[in-house]
Amino acid sequence: MFFNINILSLMLGFFFANILSTIPAQTGEWNIMSGAVIVTFNELLNKVVYKKSNIDKVVIISLINNIKIGIIYGLFVDAFKLGS
């Protein structure tokens, strides 16, 4: 069961990456702003995930980390789509 939830959270992050990369880029003016928001969100999640006092909340932190990994993976896939 835990493996299924991890895969779902990874795909949820991939879906969020598609939303974050397509909706603000419609005008072409929000690319820098959306990139800054994504990097800030990623760094805040890193602060939460790798804090030492959160040892007892392993499942929730693992899900948040999988969503973060999915977002990064989705942005790489979009970058490869634009490069080809």
Side-chain angles (χ1 to χ4, degrees):
M1 179 178 158
F2 187 66
F3 180 72
N4 294 336
I5 294 173
N6 281 335
I7 295 297
L8 283 174
S9 63
L10 188 71
M11 291 298 121
L12 182 68
F14 186 77
F15 178 69
F16 283 155
N18 286 328
I19 290 172
L20 290 173
S21 67
T22 56
I23 291 175
Q26 293 293 323
T27 61
E29 300 170 356
W30 289 94
N31 290 335
I32 295 172
M33 203 60 175
S34 64
V37 168
I38 291 169
V39 168
T40 304
F41 180 69
N42 190 15
E43 291 299 322
L44 288 174
L45 282 179
N46 281 338
K47 185 177 179 180
V48 170
V49 167
Y50 297 113
K51 187 187 282 188
K52 298 218 183 227
S53 65
N54 288 331
I55 305 279
D56 54 342
K57 302 175 186 173
V58 175
V59 174
I60 305 233
I61 291 175
S62 174
L63 294 178
I64 291 172
N65 200 24
N66 284 334
I67 290 173
K68 182 184 70 156
I69 291 169
I71 289 172
I72 293 170
Y73 175 69
L75 291 176
F76 273 109
V77 169
D78 283 341
F80 284 130
K81 285 190 287 188
L82 291 174
S84 62

